[in-house]
Amino acid sequence: MKQRTLGRTGQRVSEIGFGAWAIGGTWGEVSQQDAEAALHAALDAGITFIDTADVYGDGRSEKIIAGVLNQRGGERPFVATKLGRRLSPHVADGYNASNLNAFVDRSRENLQTGTLDLVQLHCPPTEVYYNPEVFAVMDEMVAAGKIRHYGVSVEKVEEGLKALEFPNVSSIQLIYNIFRQRPAELLLREAKRRNVGIIARVPLASGLLTGKMGPDSQFAADDHRAFNRNGEAFDKGETFSGVPYEVALEAVEEIRRYVPGDISMAMLALRWILMNDDVSVVIPGAKNRQQAEDNARASSVDALSDETMAALKQIYQAKIAPYVHQRW
């Protein structure tokens, strides 16, 4: 497993991380046994970065992570969590000192640690990025020893660029994949220039870029791929990267021609992200042991050829960009 540095944290982490949304909820049923097995498999494969949030299963994800890490003992991986989405309503005014401290204290309890490695504002309203008081509260929590570092998880490129103006932001998490290529035009370079880590989420476009879905694929009622296709519950860009399902399936068939015979499309999609040195870590999710092991193997996939990279860019520009490029 190859390592990269997570921005100004100075922390060396595995370039493939473990995205722990699926073991929390809204991805269909994932048993406790499968969730724990997936996490064990990722750690056994050399993954040292875990990304979770307090709303993933209302704390279920954080608690599963704590249980597995306590069971394994030894050196702990770097665990990033997020806060803010528990607000109801989810409004900018809710990002105040009282609420932020309460959220951090709850995550410290769930993760069974006195100090959280990294806390990210969880896709807050855009106005939050124009409120320096919010970032001052985060600074205070660092000074108090509750958190070591903080960052942001953004929906839009513009939000990431605004977050870079705050000097103690250590990382930006955003959607970056074959279907969402805009961040590479400016944001990723600017983050690297300012020594801010980049965490690439939704790398497989909610499973589309595994190449295993089709027109007749069915999703459980509690799976966001069934209930959030048009943004009914949260930003629709989080589901299938905001690409209309049928359009995405057509693009997937074109991508399939460029997948070498010895790897899966998912491995190709993860390797495409890692071709960009500005990315610190990519965080595919896993619902079971096999998925976790397959994700980890992407770190050993050979670099993609210039021809393949150019072809994937052309597919994006022709098929996908009209639906997503200017939205996020």
Side-chain angles (χ1 to χ4, degrees), residues 16 18 22 40 48 64 77 81-82 94-95 109 119 138 149 156 176 181 191 244 253 255 281 289 299 308 324:
I16 303 286
F18 183 90
H40 276 296
T48 60
I64 289 172
T81 191
K82 311 183 199 74
Y95 285 77
E109 181 178 352
V119 174
M138 304 302 289
H149 310 281
K156 301 177 184 295
Y176 178 57
Q181 299 191 21
E253 289 310 306
I255 292 169
V281 58
R289 174 178 293 277
S299 181
T308 296
V324 303

Side-chain angles (χ1 to χ4, degrees), residues 131-291:
N131 186 352
E133 286 79 10
V134 173
F135 296 86
V137 173
M138 304 302 289
D139 287 331
E140 290 167 3
M141 287 194 284
V142 171
K146 290 185 175 184
I147 63 179
R148 290 188 178 87
H149 310 281
Y150 67 85
V152 297
S153 182
V154 303
E155 299 286 7
K156 301 177 184 295
V157 163
E158 289 79 8
E159 293 169 343
L161 290 170
K162 181 62 180 173
L164 287 174
E165 296 181 10
F166 295 95
N168 296 323
V169 167
S170 295
S171 63
I172 294 174
Q173 182 178 140
L174 76 170
I175 297 177
Y176 178 57
N177 60 43
I178 294 172
F179 285 170
R180 290 281 287 273
Q181 299 191 21
R182 186 183 176 200
E185 291 182 352
L186 176 62
L187 177 55
L188 300 191
R189 291 200 314 274
E190 275 299 297
K192 184 68 169 288
R193 186 174 71 83
R194 299 182 188 220
N195 198 24
V196 172
I198 289 291
I199 303 166
R201 74 172 184 274
V202 195
L204 302 178
S206 306
L208 278 169
L209 290 169
T210 66
K212 296 178 180 179
M213 295 180 183
D216 299 326
S217 295
Q218 299 292 313
F219 304 97
D222 63 344
D223 189 322
H224 72 99
R225 294 172 291 184
F227 67 74
N228 191 60
R229 290 196 184 191
N230 297 304
E232 295 91 336
F234 42 82
D235 190 279
K236 75 174 184 177
E238 301 291 337
T239 302
F240 299 134
S241 295
V243 184
Y245 190 70
E246 295 75 16
V247 172
L249 289 180
E250 292 178 7
V252 164
E253 289 310 306
E254 293 196 24
I255 292 169
R256 201 181 301 279
R257 296 183 304 172
Y258 298 94
V259 181
D262 58 341
I263 66 171
S264 66
M265 185 181 292
M267 292 178 187
L268 173 93
L270 294 174
R271 191 68 185 91
W272 180 90
I273 295 169
L274 293 171
M275 291 293 289
N276 193 321
D277 292 336
D278 298 341
V279 172
S280 307
V281 58
V282 56
I283 51 169
K287 298 167 72 171
N288 54 55
R289 174 178 293 277
Q290 187 63 55
Q291 290 178 357

